[in-house]
Amino acid sequence: MERPSYLHKYMFDWEIFDVVIGGKSALDTKNFLGPMSTIEEVNQFLKGYGLDPNDRVAKSELFGNFQEAMQFIRRYFLKEGNPDGLDLKVPNSLLMISDISQLFLMATDDNIVKKEDKLWAEVVLKVMHTIMHADKDLRSNYFNIVQTQIFDRFYKYVFRSDDDKLFIGVRGTEDRVPLVDFETKSKKTRESIIIKLLHKAENVAEELFDRVGVRFITHTRFDSLRLIRFLLEKNIVIPHNNKPSRAINTMINMPKFKESHQSLLKMAIRNNLSEERFLAAMERAAVEAQLEPSENERNKHTSKAYQSIQFTCRQLIEYKNPFLQEFNDLRRIAKNSNPEENELARRVLNMDISLVARDIRFFYPYEIQVVDQEAFKANSQGDASHQEYKRQQVRSAMKRVFKSIIEYKQIEI
């Protein structure tokens, strides 16, 4: 029976619907791109993506992303660059590409390439897509300003005493908490950003919350809570600007500790406890309220043995455009340069500066991590170590991006 000709108008790509309204990532679809069989269809897609296929600079940049994606795949996902990588070789068909449109057609047209080449082309496009998001995060242009303004909030209160002991607090008062160390997170490398995006469901740079971060290492577990109390009291952290879903505590069972805290407060009042004995009792209570590894719910790449308190804050950043100040100085010079006779001065004064970026204010996320020295030592060893965390991240990203090839070639992972 002949199919009615109108039916094609009512067919749906349900997998793409899952991406748009079902919360699925495009990186996890069986077909990363829809069908394309002509250069014109490729160009239409690129226009919709936001790229002008007729712009030579944009096309050259896109080809640069292609080359970077190929190098990235070799370095992190294949055995030639990573001992834990896949024992695969990049097909010659990809090495022969000289125009980016060829890559799109290879990934979408089942009639012109063999199945494995198509799957490889999709892998490369997924990495290219991620590189594009890493590159086009507008906020990265202000990163140095962001770091300075965020870190200054903490540097204001972190100090060393005359006997070289480290504290956070108000110098010259008892309003302070002793520290083992205070660390600021340096800017993430380009590669680590791409790896992180490749295993995140969102796959967009705006969803990275730990590009800027600080870590406090306290002497005792109870001091970790005292530290957080200080951050809140001094308005260094404004809880209203925090991201609730990013709050993680794998150090202290808070309901259990709160009960002990209330009991100890009452006991201190009844027995007129000295501060020294009270603090010792509080520390014992904090240690006894330690969470068991099975209770920890963390990032799937993090060992259950990892202990920390961490939360994501957002700070309002103020950026003052240095160009605008210089341009205003130039305008003042032009006004004093007899603009009626000086063409350059006249043109400067007639320039429309309404589109010049003035002062900008925006919220930027950063992460605070708090650990006591015992937890920090444990976190630095074995399965809980940062090195192991990174290795698991790369492995997860590799399995996700290469899933179709792994299944096609029935590779054991």
Side-chain angles (χ1 to χ4, degrees):
M1 183 180 296
E2 186 176 346
R3 190 166 72 172
S5 60
Y6 64 80
L7 283 183
H8 73 280
K9 296 188 296 181
Y10 305 101
M11 303 297 287
F12 295 88
D13 185 335
W14 293 118
E15 190 171 46
I16 293 301
F17 264 67
D18 281 345
V19 172
V20 176
I21 63 176
K24 187 175 183 178
S25 169
L27 262 66
D28 298 319
T29 56
K30 289 184 179 179
N31 295 298
F32 185 57
L33 298 175
M36 301 179 198
S37 56
T38 66
I39 298 293
E40 179 56 31
E41 288 177 327
V42 173
N43 289 344
Q44 287 300 319
F45 174 82
L46 290 175
K47 285 180 181 177
Y49 194 93
L51 302 170
D52 183 356
N54 297 316
D55 184 334
R56 291 184 179 179
V57 174
K59 208 164 185 180
S60 176
E61 182 180 350
L62 195 58
F63 195 78
N65 293 147
F66 163 66
Q67 292 175 314
E68 182 181 356
M70 294 278 280
Q71 293 172 356
F72 186 91
I73 288 167
R74 287 194 181 100
R75 180 177 178 184
Y76 288 98
F77 298 153
L78 304 183
K79 274 197 180 299
E80 63 182 276
N82 177 5
D84 295 331
L86 298 168
D87 192 11
L88 297 172
K89 295 292 183 184
V90 177
N92 287 331
S93 56
L94 281 176
L95 302 177
M96 301 296 291
I97 286 176
S98 58
D99 186 284
I100 204 65
S101 298
Q102 296 172 291
L103 179 67
F104 279 84
L105 293 176
M106 186 182 296
T108 57
D109 192 346
D110 293 321
N111 299 319
I112 64 170
V113 291
K114 59 183 181 179
K115 176 72 172 178
E116 191 172 342
D117 285 357
K118 170 184 167 65
L119 297 178
W120 267 96
E122 287 187 334
V123 166
V124 175
L125 283 167
K126 288 176 182 180
V127 178
M128 285 177 61
H129 166 69
T130 305
I131 288 173
M132 287 280 289
H133 275 276
D135 281 349
K136 304 305 180 186
D137 181 6
L138 182 63
R139 300 174 306 175
S140 62
N141 296 330
Y142 310 107
F143 193 80
N144 291 336
I145 297 292
V146 167
Q147 274 195 318
T148 298
Q149 292 188 22
I150 289 175
F151 292 160
D152 279 354
R153 295 172 76 94
F154 298 93
Y155 289 143
K156 177 180 177 181
Y157 291 102
V158 175
F159 66 93
R160 287 194 178 274
S161 61
D162 294 338
D163 54 354
D164 204 36
K165 291 180 179 177
L166 187 64
F167 293 91
I168 181 169
V170 180
R171 189 187 292 270
T173 73
E174 293 300 314
D175 189 10
R176 59 187 184 180
V177 179
L179 299 174
V180 175
D181 202 359
F182 168 69
E183 303 170 349
T184 57
K185 179 181 289 187
S186 58
K187 185 176 182 180
K188 274 184 177 293
T189 65
R190 179 181 176 79
E191 289 79 10
S192 65
I193 289 173
I194 295 169
I195 287 290
K196 191 148 192 174
L197 291 176
L198 282 171
H199 78 76
K200 283 174 64 71
E202 293 87 354
N203 195 239
V204 289
E206 289 82 354
E207 294 299 318
L208 290 186
F209 298 103
D210 61 349
R211 286 190 176 186
V212 179
V214 298
R215 175 193 284 150
F216 292 95
I217 305 173
T218 62
H219 289 273
T220 70
R221 194 146 296 206
F222 183 54
D223 277 350
S224 296
L225 298 180
R226 292 181 59 220
L227 166 68
I228 295 171
R229 178 176 180 269
F230 179 85
L231 297 177
L232 294 169
E233 282 190 342
K234 299 302 179 185
N235 294 313
I236 302 169
V237 169
I238 302 297
H240 312 75
N241 293 337
N242 282 16
K243 187 171 178 61
S245 62
R246 293 276 304 172
I248 298 172
N249 166 27
T250 57
M251 271 178 49
I252 300 174
N253 182 323
M254 291 305 293
K256 183 176 180 180
F257 178 76
K258 280 188 244 180
E259 288 183 13
S260 300
H261 181 262
Q262 289 298 318
S263 298
L264 288 171
L265 287 176
K266 292 175 182 177
M267 186 178 74
I269 295 170
R270 278 197 313 267
N271 301 320
N272 194 25
L273 283 185
S274 68
E275 185 174 5
E276 183 179 355
R277 289 184 61 193
F278 177 77
L279 287 175
M282 279 296 183
E283 177 56 21
R284 284 195 300 272
V287 171
E288 289 170 0
Q290 176 176 320
L291 285 165
E292 294 299 321
S294 60
E295 298 178 271
N296 294 353
E297 294 184 4
R298 295 185 55 85
N299 184 318
K300 65 179 180 179
H301 306 293
T302 304
S303 165
K304 287 185 177 180
Y306 194 95
Q307 298 180 62
S308 73
I309 297 173
Q310 56 195 66
F311 45 96
T312 296
C313 313
R314 284 179 283 219
Q315 180 167 324
L316 190 59
I317 304 297
E318 296 186 20
Y319 172 78
K320 296 185 180 296
N321 189 346
F323 171 79
L324 188 61
Q325 180 61 50
E326 293 183 12
F327 185 75
N328 285 333
D329 291 342
L330 182 62
R331 284 174 63 87
R332 279 192 288 272
I333 295 172
K335 284 181 180 179
N336 297 325
S337 300
N338 196 3
E340 294 181 0
E341 299 180 5
N342 186 325
E343 184 180 356
L344 179 59
R346 187 166 61 252
R347 289 197 174 192
V348 168
L349 292 172
N350 289 335
M351 288 180 67
D352 181 7
I353 63 169
S354 62
L355 298 180
V356 176
R358 298 176 183 272
D359 296 350
I360 301 172
R361 304 176 80 203
F362 58 93
F363 282 101
Y364 196 96
Y366 68 96
E367 188 174 83
I368 295 178
Q369 184 184 86
V370 183
V371 293
D372 68 331
Q373 58 184 339
E374 185 179 332
F376 178 72
K377 183 179 179 181
N379 293 344
S380 304
Q381 300 172 352
D383 290 342
S385 71
H386 187 68
Q387 184 177 359
E388 177 62 17
Y389 171 79
K390 287 295 183 183
R391 192 182 77 83
Q392 290 297 334
Q393 267 196 341
V394 172
R395 183 175 175 81
S396 175
M398 176 189 74
K399 289 169 67 176
R400 184 189 193 195
V401 174
F402 274 86
K403 182 180 179 182
S404 56
I405 294 180
I406 290 170
E407 292 177 351
Y408 177 72
K409 297 182 73 70
Q410 298 183 332
I411 299 171
E412 296 264 343
I413 299 294

